[in-house]
């Protein structure tokens, strides 16, 4: 009998790829039962591409600057992704707004990590804005992507305290530590079939989520 193939994952990046690394490590250590089939970056020469190379994962640059508009870039991206027939497309620090056509094409199998407790601080510069707002808690959210920017149904969130002497950098580092624990966990759940999107709602272990999961969850 042929072994059941592992769920296929394509990871999109734009930069340093520390979340990509957490996923690579998760696969290598058996915490993610999936196969990262490709890494695609919209920026050339970023550190995330070296991480993919070191892990012997096919890595490709599709530079958005080579395309006249968002539609043609997204179409090229879709073609490149679909060659790998992924079950899941993971945005890991991918800093491009995606077109509705792209988002619709991958509906239910496209997830993103955002460095804030959504719906607070959508968009950019989340750590600066959290400090300016004087919040006591900050964190990251992992969500299914829909056509609303950082507005898709939230799967889970990891919280960190904001400390009195925090700078955007110290706060970002604290949030990123949590990102690296939370994202592999969510990706594993998706690979196990425990996590789905149904009529715009997140389902976990065959129940609709009433609130985002608090991540990371021990012993999962
Ligand atoms: C991460 O902190 C991620 O939450 C954020 O970019 C960083 C990428 O770091 N994503 C966004 O801001 C998306 N809007 P990494 O390249 O080291 O994983």
């Amino acid at each position: 009998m042929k072994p059941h193939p592992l769920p296929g994952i394509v990871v999109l990046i734009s930069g340093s790829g520390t979340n990509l690394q957490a996923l690579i490590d998760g696969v290598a250590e058996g915490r993610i039962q999936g196969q990262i089939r490709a890494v695609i970056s919209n920026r050339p020469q970023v550190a995330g591409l070296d991480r993919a190379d070191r892990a012997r994962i096919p890595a490709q640059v599709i530079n958005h600057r080579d395309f006249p508009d968002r539609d043609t870039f997204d179409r090229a991206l879709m073609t490149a992704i679909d060659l790998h027939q992924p079950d899941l497309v993971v945005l890991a620090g991918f800093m491009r707004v995606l077109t509705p056509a792209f988002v619709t094409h991958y509906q239910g199998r496209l997830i993103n990590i955002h460095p804030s407790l959504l719906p607070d601080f959508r968009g950019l510069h989340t750590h600066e804005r959290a400090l300016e707002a004087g919040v006591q808690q900050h964190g990251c959210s992992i969500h299914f992507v829909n056509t609303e920017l950082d507005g898709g149904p939230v799967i889970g969130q990891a919280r960190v305290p904001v400390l009195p002497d925090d700078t955007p950098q110290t706060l970002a580092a604290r949030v990123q530590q949590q990102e690296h624990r939370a994202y592999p966990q969510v990706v594993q759940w998706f690979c196990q079939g425990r996590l789905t999107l149904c009529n715009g709602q997140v389902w976990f272990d065959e129940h609709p989520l009433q609130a985002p999961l608090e991540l990371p969850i021990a012993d999962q």
Side-chain angles (χ1 to χ4, degrees):
M1 225 170 59
K2 263 171 82 175
H4 203 64
L6 288 170
I9 302 166
V10 170
V11 184
L12 305 189
I13 60 167
S14 300
S16 65
T18 61
N19 278 287
L20 166 66
Q21 189 66 55
L23 298 175
I24 290 171
D25 294 345
V27 170
E29 291 161 19
R31 288 180 282 110
I32 297 176
Q33 284 144 339
Q35 181 193 35
I36 304 177
R37 295 193 186 148
V39 170
I40 302 175
S41 171
N42 67 308
R43 291 208 186 110
Q45 295 170 338
V46 293
L49 290 165
D50 299 330
R51 296 179 191 275
D53 282 345
R54 279 199 295 275
R56 302 195 192 292
I57 298 168
Q60 183 181 356
V61 176
I62 302 181
N63 190 338
H64 60 278
R65 291 172 193 271
D66 294 342
F67 296 85
D69 54 40
R70 229 177 255 289
D71 279 335
T72 40
F73 169 68
D74 275 15
R75 275 206 297 278
L77 196 55
M78 275 193 260
T79 303
I81 293 170
D82 287 348
L83 277 178
H84 302 283
Q85 300 187 317
D87 299 279
L88 177 65
V89 177
V90 175
L91 306 181
F94 186 69
M95 304 304 280
R96 296 290 300 170
V97 173
L98 294 161
T99 55
F102 183 101
V103 170
T104 305
H105 182 67
Y106 296 106
Q107 197 166 41
R109 54 191 178 117
L110 178 62
I111 60 174
N112 180 43
I113 189 158
H114 181 76
S116 78
L117 298 172
L118 291 170
D120 292 344
F121 312 120
R122 294 178 182 183
L124 298 175
H125 310 300
T126 58
H127 309 300
E128 288 88 335
R129 286 158 61 208
L131 288 176
E132 275 163 23
V135 295
Q136 295 190 345
Q137 281 198 325
H138 187 47
C140 65
S141 305
I142 298 165
H143 64 95
F144 281 106
V145 177
N146 67 9
T147 51
E148 203 183 331
L149 183 66
D150 299 326
V154 178
I155 299 162
Q157 299 183 314
R159 290 168 195 279
V160 301
V162 178
L163 303 180
D165 53 355
D166 262 335
T167 63
Q169 290 71 31
T170 58
L171 186 55
R174 193 172 313 116
V175 170
Q176 278 223 335
Q177 263 186 353
Q178 294 303 314
E179 293 188 0
H180 301 157
R181 297 173 67 199
Y183 219 3
Q185 192 164 47
V186 168
V187 169
Q188 166 67 346
W189 291 334
F190 189 94
C191 290
Q192 291 173 312
R194 297 175 65 185
L195 193 61
T196 52
L197 182 71
C198 193
N199 295 328
Q201 185 159 28
V202 181
W203 285 59
F204 183 62
D205 285 345
E206 291 167 23
H207 296 286
L209 278 190
Q210 302 305 324
L213 297 163
E214 292 285 337
L215 302 174
I217 294 178
D219 303 324
Q220 290 280 317

